[in-house]
Amino acid sequence: MRRTADNARAEPTTAHAEDPRPRRGRAVAHALARAAERWVTVSRHKLSAGEVGSLPVLLVLAAVWITFQSLNQSFLSPRNLSNLSVEVAGTGLIAVGIVFVLLIGELDLSVGSISGLAAAVFAVLNVDNGVPEWLAAIIGVLAGTAAGTIQGFSFARTRVPAFVVTLAGLLTWNGFMLSILGTSGTVNLDENGLVAKLTSY
C-alpha cells in the first residue's frame, strides 16, 4: 500500500490549466472585425440612400492636403501645422458658433462685424487707454455679447427674419468698429502682451 501511494504521488500531472490570453485575443479580434464589418455595411446603406454625412468634407480636406504637400514638401511639417493651428484659431471659434445658428436653419451675416467690434474695443482700451489686457479682453467679450443679445432679442420678439436683422447688424456694428478705431483704422498691439503670448509657440 505504501509503494502504491508513493507511485501515485510520483506520477506527473498531465492536466494543465489552459492560458486564457490567446482565447481573449481571438475574441477581441473577432469583435473588432464584426464592428468594422457593421460600419462598412451601415456606410454603404447611407451612401446608397444619399446620406453622405461628413464624407465630402473629409475628401476635400484630403485633396487639399495632398495638393499642397505635392507643391511644397514642408506643408505637413510640424512647424507649418503649428502655424496653421494658431492662425485658424479665431476663425475656428467663430465657425463653431455659426454651426448652432445653421442647425436651426437661420443665418448670421453680422458675425464678422461683431468679432471685429469686440477686437477693436479690446485693442483701443488696451493700447490707447492703458487698460490692463485681461480687463480689456473681458470688456471686449461683453461688447460682442451685448451686440449679439440685441440682435437675438430683435429676432425673437419682432419676428423679423434673421437675414434682415443680421444684415442690419453687419452694417451697424461695422460702423461702430470703424468709429472706435478712428482715422488710423489700425491699432498695433504689444509684441510682449497677452495676445502675442497666446499666438506664439
Side-chain angles (χ1 to χ4, degrees):
M1 293 295 295
R2 184 177 300 172
R3 183 178 301 174
T4 303
D6 293 338
N7 291 339
R9 286 195 299 267
E11 288 180 358
T13 304
T14 57
H16 296 281
E18 185 179 355
D19 191 357
R21 284 177 293 181
R23 182 180 301 176
R24 189 179 304 128
R26 288 193 297 268
V28 172
H30 182 65
L32 291 176
R34 291 184 59 185
E37 183 180 358
R38 190 181 304 111
W39 180 82
V40 171
T41 304
V42 172
S43 300
R44 286 180 179 176
H45 286 307
K46 288 185 177 181
L47 290 176
S48 61
E51 300 178 9
V52 293
S54 60
L55 181 60
V57 177
L58 297 177
L59 293 178
V60 171
L61 181 62
V64 169
W65 282 5
I66 293 172
T67 301
F68 282 98
Q69 180 65 18
S70 62
L71 296 175
N72 189 341
Q73 298 300 317
S74 300
F75 178 74
L76 293 179
S77 64
R79 183 180 183 85
N80 190 53
L81 292 178
S82 177
N83 290 334
L84 291 176
S85 63
V86 171
E87 293 174 0
V88 80
T91 307
L93 289 175
I94 295 174
V96 170
I98 288 295
V99 167
F100 295 101
V101 178
L102 297 177
L103 287 176
I104 62 175
E106 299 294 344
L107 293 174
D108 187 354
L109 303 177
S110 64
V111 60
S113 296
I114 292 180
S115 62
L117 174 65
V121 170
F122 164 79
V124 170
L125 287 176
N126 175 240
V127 178
D128 295 344
N129 297 283
V131 177
E133 287 181 305
W134 64 270
L135 181 58
I138 293 175
I139 296 175
V141 171
L142 291 177
T145 303
T149 302
I150 293 173
Q151 292 187 168
F153 180 82
S154 301
F155 170 72
R157 291 297 183 181
T158 63
R159 298 299 179 180
V160 177
F163 178 87
V164 177
V165 173
T166 56
L167 179 59
L170 183 151
L171 301 174
T172 302
W173 308 128
N174 190 53
F176 273 111
M177 179 188 68
L178 296 176
S179 176
I180 291 173
L181 290 175
T183 56
S184 63
T186 58
V187 177
N188 296 322
L189 298 176
D190 185 7
E191 295 181 354
N192 299 318
L194 176 64
V195 176
K197 293 179 181 179
L198 291 176
T199 55
S200 61
Y201 57 93

